[in-house]
Amino acid sequence: MEIENTLHRFLQNLDMLKYSKHFSDNGYDNIDDIINLTAVDLQNILIIDETDTKTILDAAAVYEESPDVKIKCWLLSKNLNLYADRLGENGIHTLEQVVDLEINDDKIYEKLGIKLAGHRRRFERAVLDLRRKRCLDEEPETPVAYGYWAKPEDLSDAQNEFLCIQAKAKSPFNDHLTRNLEFMVDSGSDVSTLQREIIDSLQLKSVSTVESKGIHSASREKDLYNVYLQLGKESLDIDVRISTFSS
């Protein structure tokens, strides 16, 4: 079997098949065992030659098995290896493809031949575990800026607090015309707004119009003004319309 040959291939490539029995007799027989080897592990199975130890550990540190074998070893570790061939037949050859499977869709299990309810649940848990590991491995995104809960000055009489964020508005026509502002984050609107006084102080110019309709008012055209917005380290070129508050 391909999995059983993993250790053999690893040692053969290093010209160290003489240690094959040292590994196999002590249960070192899969990918995880190889890539996690330490000097103490080798000493415990009586591999004590310093040169050989260094050669094995250096190779283990960069060892990479084929995607197909990785899947088979993963299935074997979950006692689901009898489904290895069906995954291959359905074009699933990498763990990345496994992670993206729609595990809530019964058709997936039909394609993979997983009919037993217990095996379905085990496969589902195994895929979810892979997804959790992928999330931990991914680099976290750096926030553009941090918001906070408060009542903006323009909405100080409001009953509830709003998600707010600090930003700097800058005129596209004059670098010296800037305003530090507190914006309310309005997730229900697709248009950013500024107060008339701020638009006038930045000497912003109307660049187009947008059709706007309030909850209890008729639809009408409103001017859009171009402005540069500094949000954290990000600089945005956006269009805004006039409102009684900034959002």
Side-chain angles (χ1 to χ4, degrees):
M1 187 178 179
E2 200 170 0
I3 298 174
E4 295 170 348
N5 291 330
T6 298
L7 174 63
H8 181 87
R9 287 197 305 274
F10 175 73
L11 293 175
Q12 186 177 48
N13 290 337
L14 301 178
D15 196 22
M16 289 195 182
L17 284 175
K18 61 184 178 182
Y19 292 125
S20 180
K21 194 168 177 59
H22 291 67
F23 283 98
S24 60
D25 286 354
N26 288 280
Y28 290 92
D29 51 22
N30 66 37
I31 294 173
D32 283 341
D33 295 335
I34 293 173
I35 63 177
N36 291 296
L37 280 173
T38 68
V40 174
D41 293 332
L42 297 182
Q43 290 175 6
N44 288 338
I45 61 175
L46 303 180
I47 299 178
I48 56 177
D49 182 276
E50 291 184 5
T51 301
D52 289 352
T53 295
K54 184 178 186 308
T55 299
I56 293 172
L57 292 179
D58 287 348
V62 297
Y63 182 76
E64 186 77 18
E65 191 52 273
S66 70
D68 278 334
V69 173
K70 284 183 180 180
I71 284 188
K72 291 176 181 178
C73 287
W74 172 73
L75 289 171
L76 183 62
S77 70
K78 306 299 180 182
N79 291 322
L80 294 168
N81 48 301
L82 69 161
Y83 303 110
D85 290 341
R86 292 296 292 269
L87 263 72
E89 291 169 4
N90 283 276
I92 302 169
H93 301 289
T94 68
L95 288 177
E96 287 72 21
Q97 289 175 293
V98 173
V99 169
D100 293 331
L101 287 174
E102 294 290 341
I103 55 177
N104 294 322
D105 187 349
D106 288 340
K107 293 180 180 179
I108 289 294
Y109 300 100
E110 293 174 9
K111 288 181 178 180
L112 301 181
I114 306 177
K115 299 178 180 179
L116 298 177
H119 285 192
R120 287 191 176 198
R121 292 288 293 127
R122 190 189 308 164
F123 186 84
E124 179 183 341
R125 291 194 301 271
V127 173
L128 290 174
D129 186 52
L130 281 179
R131 290 178 181 175
R132 283 191 290 269
K133 289 180 179 178
R134 182 169 71 172
C135 289
L136 291 174
D137 290 340
E138 290 179 348
E139 287 289 331
E141 293 186 17
T142 302
V144 172
Y146 292 91
Y148 53 90
W149 292 97
K151 292 182 181 180
E153 184 178 345
D154 309 321
L155 298 169
S156 57
D157 294 333
Q159 182 177 356
N160 300 311
E161 293 185 335
F162 299 91
L163 178 60
C164 299
I165 197 166
Q166 294 287 333
K168 177 183 285 188
K170 179 179 176 182
S171 169
F173 313 104
N174 189 331
D175 290 341
H176 299 292
L177 296 178
T178 64
R179 289 285 296 269
N180 291 318
L181 304 171
E182 181 179 60
F183 280 89
M184 180 189 76
V185 179
D186 185 359
S187 59
S189 174
D190 57 0
V191 178
S192 296
T193 64
L194 286 177
Q195 295 165 285
R196 162 66 75 179
E197 178 267 325
I198 296 172
I199 288 177
D200 290 342
S201 70
L202 296 176
Q203 299 176 11
L204 303 183
K205 298 178 181 179
S206 175
V207 292
S208 63
T209 60
V210 63
E211 187 175 331
S212 178
K213 184 180 186 302
I215 298 176
H216 303 295
S217 61
S219 175
R220 64 191 184 95
E221 294 286 321
K222 291 189 176 182
D223 288 324
L224 285 177
Y225 299 83
N226 185 236
V227 65
Y228 293 155
L229 192 68
Q230 188 72 34
L231 190 61
K233 295 182 179 180
E234 294 290 327
S235 182
L236 309 174
D237 183 348
I238 66 171
D239 294 333
V240 298
R241 67 172 176 82
I242 296 174
S243 181
T244 55
F245 54 85
S246 300
S247 69

